[in-house]
Amino acid sequence: NGGDNFWMKYSLVRDGASLHTFLQHARGSRYSILAIETINGEVFGAFTAEPWRKNWNYFGNGESFLWKMRHSRKEKSHSIIDQAHLESEIDVYPYTGVNNSIQLCTHEKLAVGGGNPTPEESLTTDIKNHEWGFGITMFADLLHGTTSPCLTFGSPSLSTENSDGSVFEIMNLELWTFTPCARVEDAEKLELGKLFLDQHKQ
């Protein structure tokens, strides 16, 4: 959608570190970009294609992918997405179709990607001797998380500094969505209208 504008739905710095607040802001956004900046200046995230919500099981679809900026950035810019534009060297890891472990959100964590390889898969893959699991997981405080090699997206750990699966500290976390509207007020009205219609479908 060429005419769409980015709309920052949630920012940890702006809105506070709360999974509840994140989910309130995220509701109604089908397509969204999750962007994480660690205290070490590493930037990575996910594009997902179903609205974030609490669910005991995985949800989401194969339009999703993981991404990371190749270079760490210590200098500050206005937003993580601005940073990604400035440093446009980004690695993207598309959905492999190996499993359906795409989006997960429980009361204790929010995660993208998952799954452990079968013994055969672990022999044929490049990623060896590593704790396999969530491509990205953030704990409910939204201040800490981990990243591991992930079957869902065929991705390595998205962090260089914490590639051993150790916990990274989050400096900022943003959720962006797309809107055809140029103004946030109009985007909010449009989205509320869509939410209302979805809830009142016969």
Side-chain angles (χ1 to χ4, degrees):
N1 301 348
D4 278 358
N5 299 293
F6 279 118
W7 175 20
M8 187 165 72
K9 295 296 298 281
Y10 170 83
S11 157
L12 186 147
V13 168
R14 182 188 72 190
D15 304 313
S18 154
L19 184 56
H20 178 72
T21 306
F22 173 91
L23 290 171
Q24 277 189 313
H25 286 258
R27 69 190 188 130
S29 301
R30 181 178 167 205
Y31 293 106
S32 59
I33 298 169
L34 190 66
I36 297 164
E37 182 180 359
T38 71
I39 58 164
N40 297 317
E42 293 189 289
V43 173
F44 48 84
F47 172 85
T48 53
E50 275 193 30
W52 280 102
R53 61 184 187 273
K54 278 196 188 168
N55 208 33
W56 291 111
N57 298 312
Y58 278 103
F59 57 97
N61 67 49
E63 292 175 86
S64 306
F65 58 83
L66 293 179
W67 61 272
K68 74 177 172 89
M69 264 172 40
R70 285 183 192 163
H71 305 288
S72 167
R73 279 188 62 88
K74 292 292 189 181
E75 312 94 86
K76 288 290 126 266
S77 59
H78 294 303
S79 80
I80 303 174
I81 293 286
D82 284 346
Q83 265 177 250
H85 278 305
L86 290 170
E87 284 284 341
S88 55
E89 289 183 56
I90 289 177
D91 291 320
V92 170
Y93 304 96
Y95 177 60
T96 60
V98 169
N99 62 32
N100 292 318
S101 306
I102 300 171
Q103 292 171 253
L104 183 67
C105 182
T106 68
H107 64 286
E108 57 195 27
K109 66 172 165 283
L110 184 142
V112 186
N116 292 310
T118 65
E120 299 78 45
E121 282 168 335
S122 54
L123 293 174
T124 57
T125 179
D126 299 338
I127 308 168
K128 292 190 172 65
N129 308 323
H130 198 292
E131 185 67 40
W132 284 68
F134 299 117
I136 300 171
T137 181
M138 289 181 294
F139 311 142
D141 65 3
L142 300 187
L143 296 172
H144 303 89
T146 61
T147 168
S148 300
C150 169
L151 276 180
T152 314
F153 300 100
S155 52
S157 169
L158 300 179
S159 164
T160 306
E161 304 249 354
N162 300 95
S163 62
D164 57 355
S166 57
V167 173
F168 57 77
E169 281 187 64
I170 297 171
M171 190 162 87
N172 196 12
L173 161 69
E174 293 169 355
L175 187 76
W176 291 76
T177 188
F178 307 99
T179 176
C181 305
R183 291 172 38 228
V184 167
E185 302 79 50
D186 298 335
E188 282 171 348
K189 280 181 201 153
L190 180 67
E191 189 170 88
L192 283 169
K194 282 184 182 162
L195 270 174
F196 178 80
L197 290 171
D198 285 349
Q199 285 166 357
H200 293 81
K201 275 184 186 155
Q202 293 311 315

